[in-house]
Amino acid sequence: MNIKTVGVIGAGTMGQGIAEMLASKGLEVIIIECSRERLDYGKQMIEINLDKQIEKWALTQAEKKLIMNRIEPALSYDRLSDCELIIETITEDLDSKKAVFEQIDRISSPKAILASNTSTLSLTELASVTERPDRVIGLHFIYPVSKIDLVEIVRGLKTSEETFAATKYFVEEVIHKKGVMVFESPGFVTTRLICLFINEALHVLEEGVASAEDIDNAMRIGYSFQHGPFEMCDRFGLDSVLAALERMFREYGELKYRPSIVLKKMVRAGHLGAKSGVGFFKYDKDGDRIQ
């Protein structure tokens, strides 16, 4: 299957990263949001990220222009009718995602692959609201999308072999990332393991064993993690980590998935990490750590 145009639904952090990465690989991207303000903000953040790459000599102005020209912002789902692949990246809410899949099922080509970037929700349940559950699959990209060369390709109960093969080819031969096949399970592989890692770090912090800074340094320097568990949590979004843990706790019923009370308190206080400017550490408006 020759994929040239990809729809991305949602211009949040993940949607921005996926759209930018796809456009940088030469694909035409149509990015959808529910309001002009959110759409403009998403495109502005993509531009800021490209400017940072120019500052580091990783990109030229001409390359930036090419990437931005390949990204078409739109408010109507009708623009997705010509897409060979559509990737949904909205918030982790089952009912909202099902509503999106009902809409894209109606307007997209019968041959289009409908993918979700969900990290915890059931692909089989999302597929159940469509007329073609065999064409529904999970594409779980990991933040930051442009730097992490791994994608979990998640098969729902009815995902066909043809859909999986086409998706794996796209991941490995078109966007040049390593695709790992995962059967549907709450949290899949990466979210399940990394959220437990973060949650255990939170328990260590609660017990007063070490500070957040020292726990991060121990894992970053001692075990070659790019970020320690707390900065990782800040960059994922504390609310996203909390939502993932709560869903896995409900699905598996095991105490190890019960979220730390510290995490709950911080989310209630609006300390969501890099996107709010403060989490376990402080960040500037571009998401760079300042303290």
Side-chain angles (χ1 to χ4, degrees), residues 119-121 184-189 192 247-248 251-252 257:
S119 56
T120 56
L121 299 175
E184 183 180 301
S185 172
F188 312 135
V189 174
R192 183 172 173 179
R247 180 162 291 278
M248 290 189 287
E251 293 282 344
Y252 293 115
Y257 298 108

Side-chain angles (χ1 to χ4, degrees), residues 234-251:
D234 279 352
R235 295 193 178 281
F236 292 151
L238 275 71
D239 52 337
S240 299
V241 175
L242 176 61
L245 282 166
E246 286 179 335
R247 180 162 291 278
M248 290 189 287
F249 183 42
R250 284 197 301 273
E251 293 282 344

Side-chain angles (χ1 to χ4, degrees), residues 101-264:
F101 270 81
E102 280 184 308
Q103 288 196 65
I104 59 178
D105 183 49
R106 283 198 298 269
I107 59 92
S108 59
S109 158
K111 292 185 177 179
I113 294 172
L114 310 182
S116 175
N117 184 55
T118 182
S119 56
T120 56
L121 299 175
S122 165
L123 267 303
T124 301
E125 197 161 353
L126 292 178
S128 70
V129 300
T130 73
E131 296 294 324
R132 43 176 154 177
D134 59 308
R135 305 294 290 174
V136 176
I137 199 163
L139 273 178
H140 181 221
F141 292 89
I142 299 168
Y143 179 85
V145 179
S146 59
K147 293 180 181 175
I148 306 296
D149 290 328
L150 180 83
V151 182
E152 288 181 299
I153 305 172
V154 188
R155 299 183 72 150
L157 191 63
K158 295 188 177 179
T159 305
S160 70
E161 188 61 42
E162 180 193 354
T163 299
F164 171 73
T167 306
K168 187 173 173 65
Y169 179 86
F170 173 77
V171 167
E172 298 196 333
E173 303 300 328
V174 179
I175 62 173
H176 307 295
K177 293 184 182 288
K178 174 62 182 172
V180 292
M181 189 187 80
V182 181
F183 286 109
E184 183 180 301
S185 172
F188 312 135
V189 174
T190 56
T191 301
R192 183 172 173 179
L193 296 182
I194 212 67
C195 283
L196 280 176
F197 171 59
I198 290 169
N199 209 36
E200 191 60 31
L202 281 157
H203 293 319
V204 171
L205 181 69
E206 279 178 60
E207 292 164 19
V209 176
S211 68
E213 181 79 44
D214 285 342
I215 293 168
D216 267 18
N217 285 338
M219 300 311 296
R220 187 171 53 79
I221 300 166
Y223 288 91
S224 300
F225 280 68
Q226 184 180 0
H227 301 298
F230 294 109
E231 185 168 351
M232 206 180 281
C233 188
D234 279 352
R235 295 193 178 281
F236 292 151
L238 275 71
D239 52 337
S240 299
V241 175
L242 176 61
L245 282 166
E246 286 179 335
R247 180 162 291 278
M248 290 189 287
F249 183 42
R250 284 197 301 273
E251 293 282 344
Y252 293 115
E254 294 183 37
L255 285 176
K256 64 183 178 181
Y257 298 108
R258 186 168 65 187
S260 155
I261 193 67
V262 171
L263 184 62
K264 289 184 175 182

Side-chain angles (χ1 to χ4, degrees), residues 2 98 257 290:
N2 192 12
K98 284 167 83 171
Y257 298 108
I290 53 176

